[in-house]
Amino acid sequence: MSFLNPSAPHAWLLLVLAGLLEVVWAVGMKSTEGFTRWMPSLIVLAIALLSFWLLGLAMRALPVGTAYAVWVGIGAAGAGALGIVLFGESAGAARLACIGLILAGVIGLKLIDG
């Protein structure tokens, strides 16, 4: 086994890291101002590529549907939470409940596919 051919437990770690990087690049896109600022744009694109690469590695050992759903879920919940904290976006009960449902789905998929 190697980093490029992970076992299932290692694949889950890579997947979580890929999801966290998705949060970083998604939130970082705000600083690119529609990709009109070149340095933030290059940083965001590099982080996005790393996130995609780690997702691809994780998919070597995990079901594609589970891996993709967990990756998107981490990204969506994380970006939603950081949008509230960093950008003053709405923190209404319905929005928080929806973010909670996304997290519940991510946890459920981990429990189902171990």
Side-chain angles (χ1 to χ4, degrees):
M1 183 193 67
S2 72
F3 179 77
L4 297 177
N5 193 16
S7 64
H10 289 110
W12 279 104
L13 291 174
L14 293 174
L15 182 58
V16 168
L17 181 57
L20 294 173
L21 288 172
E22 184 189 8
V23 173
V24 172
W25 69 256
V27 172
M29 281 184 57
K30 188 122 173 133
S31 69
T32 72
E33 296 179 12
F35 291 100
T36 60
R37 297 179 62 216
W38 69 272
M39 186 54 78
S41 297
L42 290 175
I43 293 168
V44 163
L45 290 172
I47 293 169
L49 285 173
L50 181 57
S51 177
F52 276 101
W53 181 64
L54 292 172
L55 171 63
L57 289 178
M59 284 183 175
R60 289 183 172 190
L62 301 174
V64 66
T66 299
Y68 183 71
V70 168
W71 181 73
V72 169
I74 292 170
L82 284 180
I84 292 167
V85 172
L86 298 176
F87 306 120
E89 296 174 359
S90 168
R95 184 180 180 133
L96 294 175
C98 289
I99 290 172
L101 288 171
I102 292 169
L103 291 174
V106 167
I107 292 166
L109 287 170
K110 167 61 175 122
L111 293 174
I112 291 169
D113 286 328

